[in-house]
Amino acid sequence: MMHTTAEKQVLDAASNHHLDWLESEAIHIMREVAAECGKPALLFSGGKDSVVLLRIAEKAFRPGKFPFPLVHIDTGHNFAEVIEFRDRRIAELGEQLIVRSVEESIRRGTVRLRNPASDSRNAAQAVTLLETIAEFQFDACIGGARRDEEKARAKERIFSFRDEFGQWNPKAQRPELWDLYNTRIHPGENMRVFPISNWTELDVWQYIAREKLALPPIYFAHERQVIPRNGFLVPLTTLTPAKEGEVIETQVVRFRTVGDISCTCPVASDAATVEAIIAETAMTKITERGATRMDDRTSEASMEQRKKAGYF
């Protein structure tokens, strides 16, 4: 297959040596979790960042099995394409997947929403995650959060200490000098660990290109009915219907991040290949969460407040 000069430049960028350094650091962190933590788990949603984490885990532990299960906290309001991809990828790996749902927490009464059928369940995942940690006695949960995503996440350490209530205190984080990590915790406390914390969105896409990683199709340009609303393109679904007076449009869009349908929006884009997405990402000045996550715009401190309550 012949590539244009621009495409060749994009492909060359995807093999940049800085990816080797980032990958090496992430493998080291993943192995540190396995060595120092008694019962860790890896959070896997089927999104692009968790797909990268799976590749890091493969490079860290194959040909053996992963030394931890994979865990998905399912809101019940996920895009079908992502859940289908999640299950297919787990089957290919032959690893254990534990799924716990916000719906179960609602039935238990530990999560209460005004309208369980339509309200956003994104923040409610924190409750279900803490219940899952308690159920399986996990002492560390590996996640795909990155510092470039959002201000609160920029404050977080790679090994992020959470107290016995699952809460995060940005003023009580531990120093990580010379890549030395303090993993000591008391019973009931746990760690959230972010091996790709130092990566950017562009790094993630360049790594996906280099490793030829498969992704859910909604990450690539496709036609979808959307509702322009407050600067977002809200996807038209049963959970997110048009309001009175709103116009429904059919646009070519893609998702930069995937999450609960009720708060995750696509962006206008004709980038249908990884190479085109890399070129587009290199030019954007808005973070992926800032451009696509309605729940992050409720206030300047919305993410920090959720993390203090136990969110990822």
Side-chain angles (χ1 to χ4, degrees), residues 196-245:
I196 62 171
S197 184
N198 290 327
W199 298 41
T200 66
E201 183 184 10
L202 182 59
D203 295 329
V204 168
W205 280 107
Q206 289 178 338
Y207 191 76
I208 288 167
R210 190 180 80 172
E211 299 295 312
K212 298 179 173 58
L213 301 180
L215 291 173
I218 65 174
Y219 276 110
F220 303 95
H222 59 283
E223 283 195 350
R224 184 178 291 264
Q225 287 187 304
V226 296
I227 309 153
R229 181 188 299 164
N230 300 327
F232 290 103
L233 296 177
V234 178
L236 179 66
T237 70
T238 55
L239 293 171
T240 52
K243 299 177 181 179
E244 184 177 355

Side-chain angles (χ1 to χ4, degrees), residues 62-215:
R62 287 297 196 234
K65 299 282 286 184
F66 294 171
F68 38 65
L70 308 179
V71 173
H72 184 209
I73 305 302
D74 187 354
T75 66
H77 291 171
N78 294 290
F79 291 96
E81 301 97 320
V82 180
I83 297 300
E84 290 168 5
F85 173 84
R86 179 202 70 184
D87 293 341
R88 184 170 66 251
R89 189 72 187 101
I90 293 299
E92 292 168 354
L93 287 169
E95 295 290 345
Q96 178 189 6
L97 175 67
I98 296 169
V99 179
R100 291 295 181 268
S101 71
V102 174
E103 187 67 42
E104 294 168 351
S105 298
I106 293 172
R107 287 198 294 267
R108 283 192 294 269
T110 52
V111 166
R112 296 184 180 182
L113 302 173
R114 290 182 179 179
N115 189 341
S118 60
D119 285 356
S120 175
R121 298 181 177 185
N122 196 45
Q125 291 178 88
V127 174
T128 309
L129 175 60
L130 293 178
E131 291 173 342
T132 305
I133 289 172
E135 177 185 354
F136 293 94
Q137 297 185 320
F138 293 132
D139 58 355
C141 289
I142 306 166
R146 308 186 320 271
R147 289 191 176 117
D148 76 322
E149 290 182 273
E150 201 274 338
K151 293 178 181 178
R153 286 183 166 171
K155 299 179 184 179
E156 201 155 26
R157 299 287 193 265
I158 290 174
F159 278 73
S160 178
F161 172 75
R162 305 298 173 98
D163 65 20
E164 64 271 25
F165 301 105
Q167 296 177 328
W168 173 69
N169 181 353
K171 296 180 180 180
Q173 295 300 294
R174 298 169 177 181
E176 294 181 340
L177 304 176
W178 307 296
D179 294 335
L180 297 176
Y181 307 110
N182 180 354
T183 62
R184 292 183 180 180
I185 57 174
H186 293 106
E189 300 171 343
N190 65 85
M191 289 285 184
R192 308 291 169 80
V193 185
F194 306 112
I196 62 171
S197 184
N198 290 327
W199 298 41
T200 66
E201 183 184 10
L202 182 59
D203 295 329
V204 168
W205 280 107
Q206 289 178 338
Y207 191 76
I208 288 167
R210 190 180 80 172
E211 299 295 312
K212 298 179 173 58
L213 301 180
L215 291 173

Side-chain angles (χ1 to χ4, degrees), residues 290-310:
T292 66
R293 300 298 282 268
M294 290 184 284
D295 55 335
D296 284 348
R297 289 198 191 175
T298 55
S299 78
E300 283 291 315
S302 56
M303 172 63 82
E304 185 161 329
Q305 290 166 354
R306 293 203 302 275
K307 293 182 79 63
K308 287 179 179 178

Side-chain angles (χ1 to χ4, degrees), residues 43-59:
L43 302 174
F44 179 68
S45 64
K48 68 181 188 309
D49 299 302
S50 57
V51 167
V52 168
L53 284 184
L54 283 192
R55 176 49 57 91
I56 297 298
E58 287 184 278
K59 293 199 174 187

